Amino acid sequence: MTTTMQALPVAIIGAGLAGLSCAQDLVQAGHQVHVFDKSRGPSGRMSTRRADDPAGPWQCDHGAQYFTARDATFRAEVARWQQAGVAALWDARLASFDGSSWSTPETPLERFVGAPRMTSPAAWLVQGLQQAGERAQTQWQTTVQGLERQADGWTITSAEHGLHAQRYSAVLLAVPAPQAVPLLQPVAAAGAAVAASARMRGSWAVMVRCPAPVPLPWDGAFINDGPLRWVARDSSKPGRTVPPGMETWLLHASPEWSEAHIEDSADAVTGTLLAAFAALGGPSTHLVQATAHRWRYADTEPALTQGHWWDATACVGMCGDWLNGGKVEGAWLSGQSLAQQVLQAR
């Protein structure tokens, strides 16, 4: 890489945990980054919906429900999040249902959540980037549609702004695999092939507002029968606030059911999942308010385990949970590993 190219910033497309982890490492090493995301703010799979009902404001995590920390490096990062007040342990009462009987998980496992919402760690990472001044820039509501490698660096074209004037020394994609394929196909066929090999599945989520506490003896349950896969009392997570007497619950459909019904209407999905919740002991469907969200790229089956992808010649790469086991921890570690590859090249 030439001296001129080294002076250019690195473009990171996607402000989920993988992209922000990668940006954090590069900035800490003294490099410039420019993070793009099509949303209004950071989140990725750690997403939270906030809105208002007649009863008052509410929030509910509708993406990743919690995360674990097995890797020592990630545990140290989570400890920093806890110290900053943006993550906490969720001491949830858990259960499992196989269609005929209930059981309790035998192995205790530390489960963490963002606090006061799942988006909080990502927002904290963005705050850290902003404190880096000119070395870090974040740009929201920018949908990158095209990449091109020219003699003076990479260029980016977005739906909202057309061709951007800035040139970049490298482009790193931190987006779901199906979104990476069309971006890479014209400029890095090998990377596009890696992304195309990942089979990502959707998941319907229904966020439920209950006017009174639901008398179920658990805060989260793994459901291995019917359309549901996971049910959680979201308002039991640390730092959550809800109107007096109200509870929020999250219903995740199974990947298999979601894929079979991915184009169904939100009303139809809501009715089916609320009925399944009621059959487990949840409230009658007419007593609650509910909002459905189609999580298009919820998981990868099977998830890849290569960590990241990097073309040192073209200076283009990819990171994300789908490249590293499919979980929140894997996303953060994937961003770190790609950042190290970029630093070696620079």
Side-chain angles (χ1 to χ4, degrees):
M1 190 181 296
T2 67
T3 302
T4 301
M5 287 284 281
Q6 287 176 336
L8 296 175
V10 174
I12 299 176
I13 302 169
L17 202 58
L20 294 175
S21 169
C22 186
Q24 178 189 48
D25 243 27
L26 292 175
V27 168
Q28 288 177 349
H31 296 286
Q32 287 184 290
V33 301
H34 190 166
V35 180
F36 298 89
D37 199 279
K38 65 180 183 179
S39 300
R40 291 178 294 176
S43 63
R45 67 188 299 104
M46 297 173 70
S47 298
T48 304
R49 176 74 59 88
R50 289 190 287 170
D52 289 292
D53 277 345
W58 60 272
Q59 69 174 51
C60 189
D61 302 329
H62 58 81
Q65 292 293 291
Y66 59 83
F67 56 91
T68 57
R70 295 176 172 86
D71 178 88
T73 307
F74 185 58
R75 287 192 68 87
E77 178 69 8
V78 173
R80 286 190 285 271
W81 296 352
Q82 290 179 278
Q83 186 175 14
V86 297
L89 273 171
W90 182 31
D91 188 20
R93 300 168 298 165
L94 298 180
S96 180
F97 184 63
D98 64 6
S100 59
S101 62
W102 291 90
S103 60
T104 302
E106 296 180 359
T107 305
L109 185 66
E110 285 187 325
R111 291 175 171 85
F112 298 90
V113 296
R117 58 192 64 93
M118 283 298 283
T119 54
S120 297
W124 185 75
L125 291 174
V126 169
Q127 184 180 21
L129 292 177
Q130 292 171 341
Q131 292 171 352
E134 295 182 354
R135 285 188 290 122
Q137 182 179 354
T138 53
Q139 187 166 331
W140 312 114
Q141 295 181 299
T142 301
T143 308
V144 175
Q145 293 184 318
L147 309 172
E148 187 175 351
R149 188 171 184 242
Q150 300 183 353
D152 58 348
W154 282 93
T155 64
I156 282 176
T157 300
S158 71
E160 294 81 2
H161 308 290
L163 178 64
H164 293 227
Q166 178 68 58
R167 298 296 188 267
Y168 300 96
S169 61
V171 174
L172 312 178
L173 304 184
V175 298
Q179 295 177 358
V181 173
L183 290 174
L184 290 179
Q185 190 62 61
V187 295
V194 170
S197 72
R199 177 176 174 257
M200 299 201 74
R201 303 182 298 181
S203 174
W204 276 103
V206 171
M207 296 157 275
V208 186
R209 283 85 70 199
C210 305
V214 178
L216 287 170
W218 37 263
D219 301 313
F222 303 95
I223 311 300
N224 299 307
D225 180 69
L228 290 172
R229 175 59 54 85
W230 166 257
V231 176
R233 194 188 319 258
D234 190 82
S235 49
S236 72
K237 296 176 181 178
R240 273 56 179 175
T241 57
V242 295
M246 184 174 132
E247 285 188 345
T248 52
W249 285 75
L250 187 281
L251 316 178
H252 265 167
S254 72
E256 296 79 12
W257 189 92
S258 295
E259 284 292 290
H261 298 271
I262 201 69
E263 299 300 336
D264 286 8
S265 70
D267 286 346
V269 169
T270 299
T272 298
L273 297 191
L274 284 178
F277 183 31
L280 296 173
S284 299
T285 58
H286 69 280
L287 296 177
V288 303
Q289 297 285 327
T291 303
H293 172 78
R294 180 168 51 194
W295 186 6
R296 178 68 75 170
Y297 304 119
D299 74 351
T300 311
E301 182 57 40
L304 305 186
T305 57
Q306 66 189 74
H308 65 270
W309 177 83
W310 171 244
D311 182 334
T313 301
C315 294
V316 60
M318 292 185 291
C319 60
D321 59 90
W322 61 271
L323 277 159
N324 198 36
K327 303 296 183 183
V328 169
E329 179 174 17
W332 189 86
L333 291 170
S334 176
Q336 294 278 293
S337 64
L338 179 57
Q340 292 306 307
Q341 288 289 317
V342 176
L343 292 173
Q344 290 176 21
R346 293 168 70 88

